Amino acid sequence: MKISKLLVGLFACAISLGSYAQDPIVIKFSHVVANNTPKGKAADFFAQKAAELTKGKVKVEVYANSTLYKDKEEMEALQLGAVQMLAPSLAKFGPLGVKEFEVFDLPYIFDGYDDLHKVTTGPVGQQLMAKLEPKGIRGLAFWDNGFKSFSANTPIKTPDDLKGKKLRIQSSKVLEAQIRALGAMPQMMAFSEVYQALQTGVVDGTENPISNLYTQKMHEVQKHLSITEHGYLGYAVIVNKKFWDGLPADVRGQLETAMVQATRYANQIAKVENDASLDAVKKSGKTEVYMPTKEERVIFKKKLVDVHKKMESRIGKDVIDAVYKETGFNPAKM
Ligand code: LMR
């Protein structure tokens, strides 16, 4: 009797050890945008590649659309280890104390994706990522989204059209300074709250890459969209450092390969997705899309370029100069 009980016990133990050995390592990847955005698609792509390359040893659970955490909460959750992976926009690292990331928010600092990639794929990008380590965070990759345009319920041709308006921004002091330079009022707000704030008139307008505007249906509650493309919005894919360093080396290597592939994919689709979203917004007929003239663009640039100088003490002149050096940007030539 005793022996058979022992055997049953041992058998149960063997089964549970067996299943324990096969339990996948779970990576919770939380983000705030829709699945059908550049970031949403790249996160899903990474999850699929991670499963393939680790042969099921890793399961990446993607939580889109702020279903798990909102902007500020997700950073805290990552540091606490409640989630393992995020891809916050580069404008959201200030509250973490890594103000240097706000260099990406400076208006007109990148003339296009090529300029941006000189920074994100070069030494400046690496140096920025290294600043996350003391916060218990490892930066794995930069993922593109796109260039932001202003929307509101009244036409926007020149900066004066935004004067006095309440405009939603992400949690970046550079964006705050940018909105003030326009004579408008910045309202920092979590991404998940923007649609309702626009719908109810809590804010008058906002700035977005078109993929975000379209997938959150913001164009349905904004009568005008002006393709100003005055600033960049993209992401840093980050992980909890302790979790990442604690992974078996072979698994970590496979995940790094998955991340390289996902990054290539993200950066291939970003422009295509934003162009498709712009077409869809135009077709919807819900908002009027305006393309500023060359002269109107110059007026915007002249109005906003002072923000670079103003934000030197926050971002660090060395960081701004390093970006200028990579891209050849010269504020005096604006
Ligand atoms: C925003 O808050 O507007 C964006 O950062 C959302 C995102 O992740 O693209």
Side-chain angles (χ1 to χ4, degrees):
M1 180 72 175
K2 263 188 186 168
I3 287 178
S4 67
K5 243 188 174 178
L6 186 67
L7 282 176
V8 170
L10 278 175
F11 185 64
C13 184
I15 287 179
S16 89
L17 270 179
S19 75
Y20 177 77
Q22 279 159 27
D23 271 353
I25 299 166
V26 173
I27 295 183
K28 288 193 174 140
F29 186 160
S30 171
H31 69 78
V32 300
V33 294
N35 292 112
N36 56 338
T37 54
K39 174 163 68 178
K41 287 189 170 184
D44 292 344
F45 184 98
F46 172 72
Q48 191 193 321
K49 286 289 157 201
E52 269 169 42
L53 292 171
T54 65
K55 301 199 169 41
K57 275 192 216 138
V58 172
K59 183 167 188 282
V60 180
E61 292 175 356
V62 179
Y63 297 89
N65 253 326
S66 311
T67 43
L68 204 53
Y69 296 108
K70 294 195 216 173
D71 295 321
K72 192 169 165 287
E73 301 161 357
E74 68 173 21
M75 282 288 198
E76 288 160 7
L78 184 81
Q79 285 182 296
L80 291 171
V83 290
Q84 290 71 37
M85 188 174 280
L86 304 174
S89 93
L90 301 165
K92 289 177 184 167
F93 287 79
L96 197 70
V98 192
K99 305 169 200 157
E100 294 87 346
F101 273 65
E102 291 180 7
V103 73
F104 290 101
D105 299 331
L106 288 170
Y108 298 105
I109 193 159
F110 305 110
D111 211 18
Y113 288 102
D114 287 349
D115 268 3
L116 167 78
H117 292 156
K118 286 178 194 156
V119 176
T120 52
T121 61
V124 181
Q126 265 176 22
Q127 284 153 20
L128 286 169
M129 288 299 206
K131 295 193 186 290
L132 299 172
E133 297 272 323
K135 310 283 175 193
I137 293 174
R138 164 93 22 99
L140 296 183
F142 289 100
W143 283 359
D144 291 351
N145 188 344
F147 292 84
K148 295 173 293 178
S149 288
F150 284 117
S151 64
N153 280 324
T154 45
I156 308 156
K157 293 191 171 178
T158 67
D160 279 354
D161 295 325
L162 290 168
K163 235 184 196 162
K165 301 245 182 259
K166 278 183 276 165
L167 302 177
R168 181 269 170 173
I169 52 163
Q170 308 169 79
S171 56
S172 156
K173 293 285 177 197
V174 168
L175 298 180
E176 194 175 317
Q178 171 199 266
I179 300 300
R180 290 205 194 283
L182 295 168
M185 289 175 282
Q187 304 270 316
M188 276 185 196
M189 191 180 287
F191 187 64
S192 54
E193 289 159 18
V194 185
Y195 175 85
Q196 211 184 359
L198 291 169
Q199 190 186 35
T200 55
V202 168
V203 290
D204 302 307
T206 186
E207 54 166 16
N208 273 299
I210 313 303
S211 58
N212 278 356
L213 176 99
Y214 177 65
T215 54
Q216 296 296 322
K217 298 191 180 5
M218 292 183 206
H219 63 295
E220 295 185 2
V221 287
Q222 294 277 265
K223 292 201 177 77
H224 294 270
L225 167 67
S226 183
I227 308 303
T228 47
E229 296 179 323
H230 56 276
Y232 174 70
L233 189 155
Y235 310 105
V237 186
I238 56 177
V239 282
N240 178 294
K241 180 169 145 42
K242 205 166 151 207
F243 166 79
W244 195 252
D245 290 345
L247 287 171
D250 58 334
V251 170
R252 195 169 50 242
Q254 288 151 355
L255 291 176
E256 278 162 2
T257 305
M259 186 52 68
V260 168
Q261 294 178 4
T263 301
R264 199 177 305 132
Y265 171 74
N267 298 353
Q268 264 165 10
I269 64 165
K271 186 175 180 326
V272 180
E273 290 290 324
N274 276 291
D275 289 350
S277 289
L278 181 57
D279 280 348
V281 168
K282 284 179 182 165
K283 276 203 193 100
S284 76
K286 304 248 183 212
T287 190
E288 201 161 307
V289 180
Y290 180 70
M291 187 58 77
T293 63
K294 222 172 149 196
E295 292 72 27
E296 285 163 349
R297 279 175 185 272
V298 171
I299 302 174
F300 264 108
K301 282 186 184 173
K302 287 205 185 306
K303 193 88 182 178
L304 290 177
V305 77
D306 284 353
V307 173
H308 290 221
K309 191 102 206 126
K310 271 205 194 100
M311 288 291 113
E312 249 177 36
S313 59
R314 178 165 172 90
I315 299 168
K317 189 175 180 322
D318 54 334
V319 178
I320 300 180
D321 283 344
V323 173
Y324 286 175
K325 204 166 156 229
E326 292 287 358
T327 63
F329 180 91
N330 182 352
K333 282 202 181 143
M334 281 265 113

